[in-house]
Each structure stands twice: as structure tokens, then as C-alpha cells.
Amino acid sequence: MEDSLLIDAVERFVKGEMSPEEKTYFEEIRKNNPELDQAVVEHIFFINELEKFNATRNFTHAVQETEAKLIQEGFIAKKFKGKAKVVHLWNRYKRTIGVAASIAGIVSLFIASLISAIHTDKNPNIVSLVGKLDNQEKKIDKQALETAELKSKVAQITAVSPVIPKTRVESNFRATGFLIDASNNFIVTNAHVVKEAKNKLIVENNKGEQFIAKAVYVNVLYDLAILKVTDNDFKKLSPFPYTIRKTNAELGEQFFMLGYPKQEIVYGEGYISAKNGYRMDTVFCQLSTSANVGNSGSPIINKKGEILGIINSMESNAEGVVFAIKSVNIYRAVEELKKLEGYEDIKITSSGSIKGLDRESQIRKVEDYVFMIKGN
């Protein structure tokens, strides 16, 4: 039995996806072939280890989530004064603090090694695709800012009612993100993109309009972040043009992508060249395509209108080797965000209105949902 068929058969056997006839046949083969039986045992062990590793990741994120909530609520960041304040906070957070304290010892033992294994043990040639704006680009952006302010002042003078000019944000970096919840204005991008924003974070559409946003979810291990557009001027978009794939992309599956490696939206295309990422990391898949700085957060979309993943890095010493986070992780991120107070209503909006359209029509429908992520 070929290795690929064996792995597929074992996974289906472990997950209970075999029909009774297949299961009986498979177990009979194992009884009559000791070498095959040993191989099956090894593969089952390997699958179990992967599941344990995934559970460890989820556990780590739960710890980070607890810490983030404590910071957000002000327990960690603030220096309290007076016994009354301390007693009030203790009564309010004693359960959360107790849970955090109980797991702090365990976390301290493995969190550093876990993050190191996933992130720091990278090929030095694997680079993220956030575009740092140079002086010339900043000058162009500043000119756009001044032009917008001038138009606002003219409108202020000529309008019947006063118009309050909206100040554009001068940016230090550029990347990409795309809408996943049209009802509640949530956009997904990379965690390493959000880290670039020290002061302000904005999203800019393909018309050059800027809107204030904030990061409401960041998962460094999966390199995913979810932003919420908080700007009242942001207009809701509908109908939703694409769906988000719940299963992994197939080897050789073709896709197109839209992103912001420069000040305007740029089209690219390619195909899935490997089902896993660098060093067989199952969070990612490998793409054969051309990507540039600014493409971090770009969606990759197949001809059916399904988003297959999110671009996050490329190999600098190998032409056309790019890596993307698999789309299934978007669903995981959304489920984790739902657990936080105030974000229970987030949902992935899908209608898939571009299925069956020609490529030009698909692009016209999708580009309104892809945003430049900027900040300083």
C-alpha cells in the first residue's frame, strides 16, 4: 500500500470514517501483515501527538486570553491605591486570578519552548510581508492627506451645513486584510501586521477612504488578528461575495489573490504547491506565486469563490515560494473571539456570489472587501 494511501486510510480509521466493510477489511489486513500493523500503530501515535500539540496550543492561547482580559479590564496595568480598591478588585476578579495562578507554574515551564519551537526556530530566509513605507511613499501619502484636507475645507465653505474635515493618518507601514463579517465590520489580517501599529490602526478601502479600527483578537501562534472597524463613517457592505473554506485546499488547486504591495490594489495568481508550511507546520500551506511586502493578510481565493487562506510570509532565497495560513484557522479564531465579552455576535458571513463568474467580474466584486491595513 502506498504511503499516501496508508496515511489516508489510518486517519479515516482513527476518526471512525470507514464504513463497516472497510473497517473489517482494514483490520484483516493488519492481522495478516505485521509490518503494516506496526506502521499503523506508528501513524496512530503520530496523529495522537499532533492532537496533543494542538491541544497545547489551544491551552496556551487560553492563558494569553486570560492575561489579555486582565490587562483590558485594568487589573494588571493599573497600580492600585487604598484598601477599598484592592478589596473591590479582589472580589471582582478572585476567580479569574485563581485560575490564572493555578496554571501560571505550568505555563512558565513550556510557554517559552512552545513559542520558540513555532516562531523563533524559523529559517532566516522566511520573511513576513509587511511593507515599511519609505520617505518617498510617506511623501506621496502626505500629499494625499493634504489634498483630502483641502477638499474638506472647500466643502466646508461651500456647503449649506458645516462639514467637519476628517484627518487622514500618516502611516509607517502597509499590509492587507479582508472583511469576514459584513454585519459587524470585522476584518481579518496577520498578527504580525497589528504588531506594527504602536499608536493608530486604520483600514483603507480601494477608494482611498480611511477608517479607524482596533484589534480585538490577536493570536501570535497562528499569526492571525481580527480587527473591528469602529469608525461611524464606515458603510456596511452587502451582499458578501465569497465564502471561507472549512477544509484544506487540494494540492495543485489554483487561486487568485488581491492585496496592497503598493498604494493601489494588486492582482496575483498561483496554485497550492504543498499542503503544509515550512518544516511541515500544519497551520500553513505552501503556495507557488509571486508576493511582495504589503501582501501580508491578502486572501487567496479559488474559482468557486472560496477563500483558501491568508498570505503571511515568503522564502527570500527561493523564487515563488510563499506561505499562507489555512482558512480553517479563521473559524477557530472567530470561535475564540466569541468567548470574549462583547463579541458573542461575530459570525463569518458567507454568500458566495462570485461562483461561476469570469475572473474580471470576480475581482470587481471582491476588491471592495479587501482593505489596506495601515498605521503608525
Side-chain angles (χ1 to χ4, degrees):
M1 185 180 292
E2 294 182 5
D3 288 346
S4 60
L5 295 176
L6 173 63
I7 293 172
D8 180 65
V10 171
E11 288 183 349
R12 291 176 59 231
F13 177 76
V14 173
K15 293 178 180 179
E17 296 175 351
M18 283 186 170
S19 65
E21 294 79 10
E22 286 180 309
K23 186 176 180 181
T24 302
Y25 177 69
F26 189 75
E27 289 176 340
E28 188 65 29
I29 294 177
R30 289 179 62 187
K31 291 178 183 177
N32 298 328
N33 191 328
E35 293 182 0
L36 176 61
D37 184 68
Q38 179 61 30
V40 170
V41 172
E42 291 175 357
H43 279 295
I44 292 175
F45 175 78
F46 176 69
I47 292 171
N48 289 337
E49 288 301 306
L50 285 179
E51 291 178 348
K52 290 179 183 178
F53 180 70
N54 185 53
T56 303
R57 275 188 173 184
N58 292 337
F59 177 66
T60 304
H61 178 69
V63 176
Q64 294 172 337
E65 190 177 89
T66 301
E67 181 186 12
K69 187 171 183 179
L70 289 174
I71 293 174
Q72 184 179 9
E73 294 289 344
F75 179 78
I76 295 177
K78 293 181 179 179
K79 294 180 180 179
F80 304 114
K81 295 180 180 180
K83 292 183 179 180
K85 186 66 174 178
V86 174
V87 171
H88 169 73
L89 287 171
W90 170 251
N91 289 333
R92 186 177 178 184
Y93 295 108
K94 60 184 177 182
R95 184 175 180 182
T96 305
I97 295 169
V99 173
S102 66
I103 60 178
I106 301 172
V107 174
S108 63
L109 294 175
F110 73 82
I111 186 67
S113 60
L114 178 62
I115 294 176
S116 175
I118 297 173
H119 291 285
T120 60
D121 186 24
K122 286 184 177 180
N123 186 329
N125 295 311
I126 302 298
V127 296
S128 65
L129 296 170
V130 176
K132 302 294 179 63
L133 301 186
D134 57 28
N135 291 332
Q136 182 62 29
E137 288 180 303
K138 286 183 180 180
K139 183 178 179 181
I140 294 172
D141 200 46
K142 189 174 182 180
Q143 289 174 348
L145 184 154
E146 292 171 348
T147 301
E149 289 180 345
L150 179 60
K151 287 181 179 179
S152 294
K153 289 178 181 178
V154 172
Q156 226 179 352
I157 295 171
T158 59
V160 176
S161 58
V163 176
I164 300 175
K166 186 173 182 178
T167 304
R168 288 175 62 86
V169 176
E170 188 173 350
S171 307
N172 296 324
F173 70 91
R174 176 178 59 241
T176 305
F178 57 94
L179 206 63
I180 58 171
D181 183 343
S183 299
N184 299 298
N185 303 337
F186 287 101
I187 291 174
V188 67
T189 187
N190 297 130
H192 71 260
V193 171
V194 172
K195 286 174 112 179
E196 296 291 332
K198 303 296 188 283
N199 300 307
K200 292 184 178 180
L201 185 65
I202 64 167
V203 298
E204 183 175 314
N205 63 18
N206 57 350
K207 300 177 183 65
E209 299 169 330
Q210 293 188 346
F211 307 97
I212 299 170
K214 66 176 182 178
V216 296
Y217 170 89
V218 178
N219 188 324
V220 176
L221 298 180
Y222 291 101
D223 195 22
L224 281 177
I226 297 177
L227 315 180
K228 181 172 177 61
V229 182
T230 58
D231 201 314
N232 293 329
D233 292 334
F234 187 80
K235 296 178 181 178
K236 296 184 184 298
L237 300 173
S238 62
F240 223 66
Y242 43 74
T243 59
I244 299 178
R245 182 91 155 252
K246 290 184 178 180
T247 57
N248 293 334
E250 296 297 329
L251 196 64
E253 190 167 359
Q254 296 182 334
F255 63 81
F256 72 92
M257 64 184 184
L258 294 172
Y260 284 94
K262 58 181 184 178
Q263 191 61 33
E264 63 178 340
I265 198 164
V266 176
Y267 168 86
E269 57 184 28
Y271 59 88
I272 306 295
S273 56
K275 290 186 176 182
N276 298 308
Y278 176 67
R279 291 188 178 174
M280 299 302 292
D281 192 327
T282 57
V283 173
F284 305 92
C285 59
Q286 181 177 308
L287 317 176
S288 180
T289 189
S290 177
N292 295 289
V293 292
N295 272 125
S296 277
S298 294
I300 58 173
I301 309 171
N302 67 9
K303 61 183 180 181
K304 297 178 182 178
E306 299 172 321
I307 289 182
L308 305 178
I310 308 170
I311 290 178
N312 84 312
S313 61
M314 68 178 182
E315 191 167 350
S316 61
N317 66 343
E319 187 176 352
V321 178
V322 178
F323 299 101
I325 305 153
K326 295 176 182 177
S327 57
V328 67
N329 294 295
I330 301 175
Y331 286 95
R332 292 172 181 167
V334 168
E335 289 305 311
E336 290 175 358
L337 180 56
K338 280 183 178 179
K339 298 174 184 177
L340 298 181
E341 185 178 354
Y343 300 104
E344 297 87 353
D345 293 337
I346 182 175
K347 61 180 179 179
I348 293 177
T349 311
S350 297
S351 61
S353 62
I354 65 172
K355 183 179 181 181
L357 298 180
D358 59 60
R359 183 55 50 83
E360 292 83 358
S361 299
Q362 288 181 327
I363 293 170
R364 281 195 297 271
K365 283 183 172 290
V366 172
E367 63 182 351
D368 288 339
Y369 294 79
V370 180
F371 296 84
M372 189 188 308
I373 311 298
K374 303 172 75 174
N376 55 34

